[in-house]
Amino acid sequence: MKVNKKGALGLLALVAASAVALTACSGGTAANKPTSSGSLTVWVDANRAAAMKDVAAEFQKEKGVKVNLVIKDYGKIQQDFTAQVPTGKGPDITIGGHDWIGGFVKNGVVAPVELGSKSGDFEKIAIQAVTYDGKQYGLPYAIENIAIMRNTALAPNPTPSTYDEMISAGKASGAKYPFLIGLDAANGDPYHTYPFQTSFGSAVFAQNSDGSYDASKLTIGDDAGKNFAKWLGQQGAAGIFKPGLTGDLAKAAFNAGESPYFITGPWNVPDAQAKGIKIAIDPIPSAGGQAARPFAGVQAFFVSSKSKNKLLANEFLVNYIGTEKVQTELYKAGGRPPALTSAFTAAQSDPIIAGFAKVGADAVPMPSIPQMGAVWDDWGKSEVAIMKGGEAVSTWQTMTTNIQGKVAAG
């Protein structure tokens, strides 16, 4: 749904009026006294549901509004939300990834969230990620990015700053694999190869001065991208990048002590520790001479454009989900660093989280523009073709031409 300036100001006024009304109803002294009625339906995945129960109960106690938590398969939420909201059957609020926002806006299924001055309480990259076309479309609660997970028994020293040095150290460790990266046999994994691509100065789309992406400027096919493609072919020829050694297989190999270095995210920390692997989290080394910058993904809560309770939904998100207590509970449930700065800072008492946060400070938001959907398929398949011996520059150029065609076709 395209929300014009007049509409946004109107919504802001209604939110302010609602806040006054809620305060008036509470009498300003009895914080626990119910002040409203109705209900909110919230889609969450199983991992986050437990962390949400207490805040849902607190909201009902203080505001008189029941929050119905509906557990959904995370992998189906984006599609189901897009399909059900127009029919009026969707939830008031759903959990999801920030890179869904462009599609949600294009399909008119999401409403802006009015963070007001609260936006300054969140990490800058979290707010950048949920901002689309000048408006904030979600309440961020977690930030995630990949880094180098190091087996400290095999590699006691910090990961070297260059890729070549890391591979040399990996070989010197005597482990089966000097370095592990999960790659699907057919589709590769551009998300995990992207830090090495950025170290050549190559990006997918150009960014504006405010960090947003310019969908009219596809930059992936420039000379920097072609240089990365050449390097990628060399890694395939050397047998270090192995299409078919999937993310699950790479994880199993690392957890079996078969490599000192694994490029992955915080979601694989618990299993490594459960296997008794002593780990440290290090920056990703540069392959092309520039900083290796991974994508940053931000998890958020979105409000349905068809919700009849937008004001209550906004209140629940900003003043309940957006608190340090709840953001910390969600972090404990999922292991991803919180988006609220105070909770983010506190979580870094854990050196693992501090390691990911250090790498994330140099990350770039995953593009949330709808045009990004035209990129992944050709990108991943072309990388696999190059790793398997395809001519790098011509394959990369063909990929670029195909993506340009898909972007132009909408």
Side-chain angles (χ1 to χ4, degrees), residues 324-348:
E324 183 174 344
K325 176 184 176 184
V326 176
Q327 295 257 319
T328 300
E329 288 300 314
L330 289 166
Y331 150 63
K332 291 178 178 177
R336 294 169 168 84
L340 189 73
T341 297
S342 59
F344 180 77
T345 301
Q348 291 183 54

Side-chain angles (χ1 to χ4, degrees), residues 42-126:
V42 182
W43 283 1
V44 292
D45 65 329
N47 287 341
R48 253 67 62 165
M52 293 283 291
K53 287 183 179 178
D54 287 347
V55 68
E58 182 180 358
F59 191 70
Q60 181 171 354
K61 181 179 179 181
E62 294 188 358
K63 302 300 179 185
V65 176
K66 182 174 177 56
V67 178
N68 301 305
L69 300 177
V70 178
I71 297 176
K72 296 277 292 185
D73 180 346
Y74 187 88
K76 296 180 179 178
I77 288 178
Q78 183 180 14
Q79 181 178 352
D80 288 355
F81 189 76
T82 302
Q84 292 188 28
V85 166
T87 70
K89 296 180 179 178
D92 298 289
I93 297 170
T94 188
I95 204 168
H98 87 272
D99 52 312
W100 301 355
I101 292 174
F104 281 172
V105 173
K106 180 181 179 181
N107 288 294
V109 298
V110 68
V113 173
E114 301 295 341
L115 294 172
S117 61
K118 186 95 177 183
S119 64
D121 295 342
F122 290 85
E123 289 296 289
K124 182 179 178 181
I125 196 168

Side-chain angles (χ1 to χ4, degrees), residues 149-156 254 256-261 277-280:
M149 186 185 294
R150 173 167 53 90
N151 182 328
T152 60
L154 296 174
F254 183 81
E258 295 180 341
S259 179
Y261 307 110
I277 304 294
K278 302 296 184 184
I279 61 171

Side-chain angles (χ1 to χ4, degrees), residues 115-409:
L115 294 172
S117 61
K118 186 95 177 183
S119 64
D121 295 342
F122 290 85
E123 289 296 289
K124 182 179 178 181
I125 196 168
I127 294 300
Q128 284 182 337
V130 299
T131 300
Y132 185 88
D133 200 18
K135 304 178 183 66
Q136 291 156 359
Y137 280 94
L139 187 289
Y141 75 88
I143 304 170
E144 62 187 20
N145 56 265
I146 56 177
I148 294 293
M149 186 185 294
R150 173 167 53 90
N151 182 328
T152 60
L154 296 174
N157 297 319
T159 302
S161 61
T162 71
Y163 175 85
D164 289 342
E165 291 173 328
M166 178 183 72
I167 297 302
S168 294
K171 290 178 178 177
S173 74
K176 181 177 180 179
Y177 302 103
F179 163 69
L180 285 165
I181 180 170
L183 298 167
D184 181 81
N187 301 309
D189 193 334
Y191 176 82
H192 283 85
T193 59
Y194 194 62
F196 300 120
Q197 182 173 333
T198 58
S199 78
F200 283 83
S202 173
V204 184
F205 289 99
Q207 285 183 275
N208 299 311
S209 58
D210 64 355
S212 62
Y213 287 91
D214 186 342
S216 69
K217 296 180 180 177
L218 182 70
T219 58
I220 196 170
D222 60 16
D223 287 344
K226 292 170 183 173
N227 289 335
F228 164 70
K230 295 175 187 175
W231 176 86
L232 196 63
Q234 293 167 1
Q235 304 320 304
I240 298 173
F241 280 41
K242 299 175 180 294
L245 185 69
T246 65
D248 285 344
L249 293 174
K251 170 184 170 181
F254 183 81
N255 291 349
E258 295 180 341
S259 179
Y261 307 110
F262 179 28
I263 187 168
T264 189
W267 46 86
N268 279 331
V269 167
D271 285 351
Q273 293 176 326
K275 293 292 184 182
I277 304 294
K278 302 296 184 184
I279 61 171
I281 305 301
D282 293 332
I284 300 166
S286 174
Q290 299 184 36
R293 308 180 70 189
F295 280 130
V298 172
Q299 293 290 309
F301 289 89
F302 306 111
V303 176
S304 165
S305 63
K306 299 298 183 183
S307 171
K308 296 178 181 178
N309 301 304
K310 291 187 182 70
L311 302 179
L312 290 171
N314 206 92
E315 167 79 2
F316 180 61
L317 294 186
V318 175
N319 292 324
Y320 286 78
I321 303 296
T323 61
E324 183 174 344
K325 176 184 176 184
V326 176
Q327 295 257 319
T328 300
E329 288 300 314
L330 289 166
Y331 150 63
K332 291 178 178 177
R336 294 169 168 84
L340 189 73
T341 297
S342 59
F344 180 77
T345 301
Q348 291 183 54
S349 60
D350 180 340
I352 300 297
I353 296 300
F356 279 110
K358 182 178 180 181
V359 178
D362 208 25
V364 292
M366 176 93 75
S368 61
I369 52 178
Q371 291 81 1
M372 194 64 189
V375 173
W376 293 106
D377 186 58
D378 286 285
W379 193 9
K381 289 177 178 175
S382 297
E383 289 194 351
V384 169
I386 292 169
M387 284 184 264
K388 288 184 174 180
E391 203 288 318
V393 173
S394 62
T395 301
W396 200 257
Q397 184 56 54
T398 298
M399 172 200 75
T400 304
T401 301
N402 290 342
I403 293 172
Q404 285 174 327
K406 290 180 179 179
V407 170

